[in-house]
Amino acid sequence: MNTTTSPAAAEPAGTQEERRPTGPQYEMRPLSTAADRAAAAALVDDRARWLAERGIRVPHHHVAAYREAWAEGVGLYEDGADDEEILIGCLLLHRQPEPRPGVTDAEGPGLGISLFYTAPGLDVRYGWLITLWVSDFASRIGATRVHAEAPSPASRGNTTDPLLDYLRSLGWLITGTGINRDGERVARLRLNAQERDGLSGLIACTVPFDTACPAHGNGGPR
């Protein structure tokens, strides 16, 4: 008689870990419902208060831009405990951005992003994750580059800026400065589009590659 007992059978009842299917820990998807947009607006509002405590003003319309769907909004979600999804970042996509100074048609089509926010108090790796995703997404929709803007240190009386240093470390290039629609001086940023094989194992993406944007959402980074 075979008395060999399998390891699983030998474990006392209740000690076996539940085996769950593995998959990407993160998902980038459209903010397609009113609840999605409200969650993104709340995230931006939380971040705005966090920045205000550090002397950085966020225009009020940034929150409204998400709540009222001024442009194509997307959110980065993380799987939390008990299968709970947590919104950890959001941004607006501009698939037909306005022309930028010094950029010619010969450089190919570009993708604009704006109002890029992450929830306060999170690890800085989330900025890296979104940078990876947007570079890959731009490549897959046929863009050669990504354009964005960030507050310029000159607008805050500083000569150096930790935010711009951080963005440089992620691969963003600072191509110049200018005044945005809010009357604030900003640094103009550029990121090369690059398809990244294997990224889907880390970040699932359900943002469509070909979609119509809201008519008022093609203004480019703000």
Side-chain angles (χ1 to χ4, degrees), residues 112-199:
I113 68 169
S114 67
L115 310 194
F116 167 20
Y117 287 97
T118 56
L122 296 180
D123 193 288
V124 295
R125 74 179 183 275
Y126 295 119
W128 169 73
L129 287 171
I130 293 177
T131 295
L132 287 178
W133 176 83
V134 77
S135 174
D136 177 81
F137 183 80
S139 177
R140 294 179 187 276
I141 65 172
T144 62
R145 62 199 182 279
V146 183
H147 295 298
E149 293 173 352
S152 170
S155 68
R156 301 199 293 274
N158 299 325
T159 55
T160 60
D161 186 78
L163 173 60
L164 295 184
D165 290 342
Y166 171 64
L167 292 171
R168 287 189 189 98
S169 75
L170 297 179
W172 292 89
L173 303 176
I174 299 174
T175 61
T177 59
I179 305 298
N180 67 5
R181 296 179 182 181
D182 302 320
E184 301 284 348
R185 179 165 292 279
V186 294
R188 296 192 176 101
L189 307 173
R190 171 176 173 159
L191 179 71
N192 290 331
Q194 180 182 350
E195 189 169 329
R196 301 176 184 274
D197 294 334
L199 185 62

Side-chain angles (χ1 to χ4, degrees), residues 24-39:
Q25 184 178 357
Y26 304 96
E27 180 184 0
M28 185 70 80
R29 68 172 188 249
L31 301 173
S32 56
T33 69
D36 290 339
R37 293 190 293 272

Side-chain angles (χ1 to χ4, degrees), residues 37-95:
R37 293 190 293 272
L43 182 152
V44 174
D45 195 38
D46 287 345
R47 173 60 85 172
R49 287 196 296 268
W50 186 91
L51 291 170
E53 293 172 356
R54 291 155 178 80
I56 302 173
R57 184 185 70 87
V58 173
H60 293 299
H61 70 73
H62 287 198
V63 175
Y66 281 97
R67 184 177 293 114
E68 300 172 11
W70 290 2
E72 182 185 357
V74 298
L76 180 65
Y77 294 80
E78 181 178 19
D79 285 341
D82 300 324
D83 294 329
E84 178 187 8
E85 287 186 325
I86 303 170
L87 178 65
I88 57 177
C90 54
L91 65 152
L92 302 182
L93 299 179
H94 306 275
R95 301 186 189 229

